[in-house]
Amino acid sequence: MAATKIIDAPRNGHEMAPLNTRARGDGTHGVTIVLTAPQRNSVQSVDIPGNEPERAAWSGKMQFFLSIIGYSVGLGNIWRFPYLCQQNGGGAFLIPFMVMLILEGIPLFLIELGIGQRMRLGALGVWNTIHPWLGGIGISSCIVTLFVALYYNVIITWVFFYLFNSFRYPLPWSSCPLNGTGFELEECAKSSETTYFWYRTTLDAAPSMDEPGGLKWWIVLCLMLSWTIVFFIVMKGIQSSGKVVYFTSLFPYIVLTIFFIRGITLRGAGAGLMHMYTPKVEKLLEPTVWLDAATQVFYSFGLAFGSLIAFGSYNTPKNNCVRDVLLVSVCNAVTAIYASVVIFAILGFKATVNVDRCIASNTEILVKNKLLGLNDTQGYEQAMNQLNGSEFVRLQLSECSLAHELDNAAEGTGLAFIVFTQAIVELPGAPFWAVLFFTMLLSLGLGSQIGILEGMLCTLFDIDIIKRVKKQHVTGVVCLFCFIVGFIFCTGAGEYWLKMFDSFAGTIGLVVVALMEMIAVIFIYGHERFTEDIYQMTGYRPGRYWQWTWRYIGPVIMVCILVSSVVFMVIRNPTYGAWNADLGMIEQKSYPNWVMAIALSMILAGVLPMPIVFLMRSFQCLKVDLDIHQGSIRRNETTASTKEMIDNDDDNMSPDMPPQDSLAATRFTIGDFEN
């Protein structure tokens, strides 16, 4: 081996702690080393870690807090949580939700935010620094984040289309278009005005994924606008996106408050809230309710995307990340509950209006058939009760039930673009409320998309080759690539593709990444060392609650989510809802085999980098000098990966060397070991 050069390397606060804290025989605790690659064209060699450029930082505490709120509080709080409450026991669902928030969400939240603040690196750099064999976690996270970013911006695209149409009076989804003979189009008459506008006017939906049709130019233009806006927001990192979050994070709360004040004054709002929050305690005995709660907590925090690690890395080393985690967690939960109140107050009003229309229609039929007096409004219930089943069908009467109307509440795009838009039509000054609602959705969507892209770009900039390119150029290439791939969502089968991506691309991969993150930090980096890091940064030493959730409860919950997701995916034949124009309704169809092959490929692409990198680096197929973070690996003390070669080098040191020199930083070039 070539001679070893001893240098004094300054500590810059970024050094990584060891995997093994065992003291050495001479009474010291190891050395700080820098493994530096030889000068090459592809990888920059760093002689002194302290010379690296300063990392970007938040301009203030408020900017960080709003950024992480804007990222964590997203569309799922508006269109997913209310639906889960309604379907899983009403107010009783808050019990499993809070339990999973405490046992799963908050502990994993602190792991990501804390380790990012400790390392001051993105997802790729963090896991490579803990141990090179774990580098695949960052790659998997980046790939899954790319898949999610692809389809998440399509939702923003649809919001833009609805927002532009909200400035028309009357609203274009308030009535069915007429054919040449003056009658309503059959497709619209068989469904509803808002359903027709969504599936035919907006999406021009294809009958199946096998017949996607061509590109819809209006969707392509809105998609281009979406990616252009996202590019200008994130092109300079937090220097540009940090200014936008003041709007994207605060504006939704202003709109929710406006809707809350208007909603609780509407007729039927109380019925909607009672229907939603009336607890059905017996539901708590169903395992799927607890699984839904755990899944909702996991996705509502945006865990495993790498974004929380990136946000934490921009903090100062002494930032109180424990306080931040608790504040954001409370804010996230309160926002979900607050949004549910607003949504179901409005839906209660819509249901009441629909019931009144139903009763008026039935009354007209009864009067026409002389079963009810012309002005006998009091005898309606008695007349309906006297009819038997055959007469009910023969007269083509409808069942007018408030509970039935409220049970038809939808989730996701169905809630935002069909159900809630119908409620908006019933409000006086409907265009104003439509503009407010879709501007709120736009703010929520952009806030989350900013965080998703920031996590992915921060990961990319952990690679030294990409570091040399201006961030604007890298961001531009990423956005252009996503825009081009996004054409698949601009066909008549666009919504079907989005649901496929949502079901497969961002589920199993994210759960596996989150599980590996917890294992890496708690069991490889070490829960005691991570606890000490938290103490050094915040002055607070995590106690038994954190230790038990990190080491036992959290991993068990993640394994349950992972296993159940795989089992449900295998047992239940995956289907998608295709629009049948002839029937004016959705019908379930199985995914074609070639689409399932793509889905399986996306799942594998998000999971396989972890074992591949592990195997390649454990068998030395991937050179250390191609490692992340400017071609260097830094440690505070001897780690399991470096202890053997350090001990070998100690044997070759001169016996005249003073013992205290073992505490000095030692610089080994990769060429020394190759020789």
Side-chain angles (χ1 to χ4, degrees):
M1 182 180 293
T4 302
K5 179 182 178 181
I6 307 298
I7 64 169
D8 289 329
R11 296 176 62 86
N12 60 3
H14 295 183
E15 294 87 359
M16 181 55 219
L19 296 170
N20 189 346
T21 60
R22 184 177 56 194
R24 297 180 47 188
D26 59 357
T28 66
H29 289 266
V31 298
T32 299
I33 69 166
V34 178
L35 299 182
T36 307
Q39 292 287 349
R40 298 182 183 180
N41 291 332
S42 60
V43 181
Q44 180 183 358
S45 176
V46 180
D47 290 326
I48 302 175
N51 287 344
E52 66 176 304
E54 286 294 325
R55 186 167 186 81
W58 302 107
S59 63
K61 187 68 177 179
M62 182 60 70
Q63 188 183 76
F64 161 72
F65 189 74
L66 291 179
S67 294
I68 208 164
I69 285 293
Y71 168 69
S72 299
V73 178
L75 294 171
N77 296 75
I78 301 295
W79 67 26
R80 176 70 176 163
F81 183 81
Y83 173 80
L84 289 177
C85 274
Q86 182 207 20
Q87 296 296 313
N88 292 312
F93 180 71
L94 296 179
I95 296 175
F97 177 75
M98 290 301 177
V99 170
M100 291 301 171
L101 179 72
I102 294 171
L103 298 182
E104 172 207 4
I106 295 176
L108 189 52
F109 196 175
L110 181 57
I111 285 179
E112 292 203 2
L113 205 61
I115 202 70
Q117 181 173 313
R118 172 66 180 88
M119 306 290 185
R120 305 210 72 193
L121 293 170
L124 196 57
V126 162
W127 308 120
N128 273 282
T129 306
I130 288 180
H131 199 290
W133 292 0
L134 301 176
I137 300 178
I139 298 174
S140 291
S141 176
C142 187
I143 292 174
V144 174
T145 301
L146 173 63
F147 290 149
V148 174
L150 282 172
Y151 75 81
Y152 203 89
N153 219 37
V154 177
I155 301 174
I156 299 176
T157 298
W158 295 337
V159 171
F160 267 123
F161 184 78
Y162 267 78
L163 179 61
F164 295 149
N165 280 278
S166 297
F167 289 96
R168 296 168 59 184
Y169 184 82
L171 292 173
W173 56 82
S174 61
S175 60
C176 285
L178 305 178
N179 56 24
T181 60
F183 293 97
E184 292 181 347
L185 290 177
E186 184 178 2
E187 182 181 359
C188 184
K190 289 182 177 180
S191 53
S192 68
E193 299 88 341
T194 54
T195 305
Y196 177 85
F197 185 85
W198 170 241
Y199 283 106
R200 185 55 54 210
T201 306
T202 304
L203 302 178
D204 194 14
S208 70
M209 297 185 78
D210 288 317
E211 308 169 65
L215 293 174
K216 313 304 175 186
W217 62 267
W218 56 94
I219 300 295
V220 174
L221 290 179
C222 289
L223 182 65
M224 182 171 64
L225 174 63
S226 300
W227 278 114
T228 302
I229 291 176
V230 169
F231 165 72
F232 281 110
I233 291 175
V234 302
M235 67 177 183
K236 292 183 179 180
I238 60 173
Q239 282 78 13
S240 54
S241 63
K243 299 178 176 62
V244 180
V245 296
Y246 287 94
F247 173 77
T248 59
S249 299
L250 295 177
F251 184 74
Y253 289 98
I254 297 174
V255 175
L256 279 177
T257 302
I258 294 174
F259 269 106
F260 173 76
I261 296 172
R262 184 68 182 98
I264 60 175
T265 61
L266 293 172
R267 180 168 51 95
L273 294 177
M274 286 294 294
H275 179 80
M276 176 184 172
Y277 283 114
T278 299
K280 304 176 184 67
V281 183
E282 65 277 5
K283 280 278 191 178
L284 298 182
L285 300 177
E286 300 178 13
T288 54
V289 173
W290 293 84
L291 180 63
D292 282 342
T295 307
Q296 172 64 18
V297 167
F298 178 79
Y299 291 114
S300 67
F301 275 113
L303 301 170
F305 284 100
S307 302
L308 296 175
I309 295 176
F311 286 156
S313 71
Y314 300 136
N315 277 325
T316 59
K318 293 298 182 180
N319 175 65
N320 192 338
C321 54
V322 176
R323 180 187 58 197
D324 296 337
V325 165
L326 296 177
L327 286 175
V328 173
S329 300
V330 171
C331 186
N332 197 332
V334 170
T335 301
I337 298 171
Y338 186 38
S340 301
V341 172
V342 174
I343 293 296
F344 269 86
I346 302 293
L347 293 184
F349 164 70
K350 180 188 80 74
T352 302
V353 171
N354 288 346
V355 168
D356 289 346
R357 286 178 177 173
C358 177
I359 293 175
S361 176
N362 286 349
T363 300
E364 185 179 346
I365 294 173
L366 293 174
V367 170
K368 185 177 180 180
N369 288 272
K370 298 182 179 180
L371 297 174
L372 184 67
L374 182 61
N375 296 316
D376 187 8
T377 56
Q378 303 296 325
Y380 171 79
E381 290 291 339
Q382 182 179 358
M384 291 292 292
N385 292 333
Q386 291 175 351
L387 297 175
N388 57 38
S390 58
E391 291 176 321
F392 194 89
V393 174
R394 180 180 61 83
L395 295 174
Q396 296 183 338
L397 295 171
S398 301
E399 181 183 355
C400 306
S401 168
L402 185 63
H404 177 72
E405 287 287 337
L406 289 169
D407 282 336
N408 288 333
E411 64 170 324
T413 54
L415 173 63
F417 300 116
I418 298 178
V419 176
F420 207 83
T421 50
Q422 182 184 350
I424 288 175
V425 169
E426 308 296 340
L427 294 172
F432 168 76
W433 298 107
V435 170
L436 268 186
F437 178 68
F438 288 111
T439 306
M440 178 187 69
L441 291 187
L442 181 63
S443 301
L444 289 170
L446 285 176
S448 296
Q449 182 73 348
I450 290 169
I452 291 171
L453 271 185
E454 189 60 48
M456 183 171 64
L457 292 171
C458 185
T459 300
L460 292 177
F461 276 92
D462 282 338
I463 303 174
D464 186 53
I465 298 175
I466 297 180
K467 244 178 206 177
R468 302 176 183 181
V469 185
K470 286 186 177 181
K471 187 156 190 175
Q472 294 93 322
H473 297 164
V474 176
T475 305
V477 170
V478 170
C479 290
L480 179 62
F481 171 79
C482 293
F483 168 64
I484 294 174
V485 176
F487 283 171
I488 192 175
F489 303 107
C490 299
T491 65
E495 189 198 25
Y496 313 151
W497 278 106
L498 184 139
K499 289 183 177 178
M500 190 275 283
F501 268 68
D502 189 44
S503 299
F504 297 99
T507 52
I508 293 179
L510 283 177
V511 178
V512 173
V513 168
L515 179 61
M516 291 305 300
E517 286 181 354
M518 188 168 279
I519 292 174
V521 173
I522 302 306
F523 297 104
I524 299 178
Y525 180 52
H527 67 92
E528 292 179 351
R529 181 157 296 279
F530 185 63
T531 299
E532 182 65 24
D533 289 343
I534 296 297
Y535 176 71
Q536 294 294 333
M537 290 188 295
T538 67
Y540 166 76
R541 188 179 300 277
R544 291 185 179 180
Y545 156 71
W546 298 100
Q547 304 300 329
W548 279 81
T549 52
W550 283 339
R551 298 168 64 186
Y552 308 112
I553 302 175
V556 168
I557 293 175
M558 300 307 301
V559 169
C560 290
I561 295 176
L562 177 61
V563 171
S564 61
S565 299
V566 174
V567 169
F568 286 150
M569 196 173 293
V570 173
I571 294 179
R572 300 176 181 175
N573 183 32
T575 60
Y576 67 99
W579 177 248
N580 189 318
D582 295 330
L583 300 177
M585 60 182 294
I586 293 293
E587 58 180 6
Q588 296 298 316
K589 292 186 176 182
S590 297
Y591 284 107
N593 291 333
W594 62 276
V595 174
M596 288 304 299
I598 294 176
L600 180 61
S601 300
M602 289 192 299
I603 293 174
L604 293 177
V607 174
L608 286 182
M610 288 179 279
I612 288 176
V613 171
F614 171 79
L615 292 174
M616 292 185 70
R617 285 183 169 164
S618 60
F619 288 102
Q620 298 183 351
C621 299
L622 196 61
K623 294 294 185 180
V624 179
D625 61 335
L626 293 181
D627 204 355
I628 311 304
H629 190 41
Q630 297 186 346
S632 65
I633 303 177
R634 295 171 296 172
R635 296 288 187 272
N636 280 336
E637 304 178 89
T638 306
T639 69
S641 60
T642 58
K643 184 178 186 303
E644 181 179 352
M645 59 187 177
I646 292 174
D647 287 344
N648 291 339
D649 184 75
D650 287 344
D651 295 337
N652 297 328
M653 285 186 179
S654 170
D656 298 328
M657 182 179 297
Q660 62 269 24
D661 284 354
S662 63
L663 294 175
T666 307
R667 179 178 182 270
F668 303 97
T669 66
I670 296 301
D672 291 338
F673 297 109
E674 291 175 346
N675 293 334

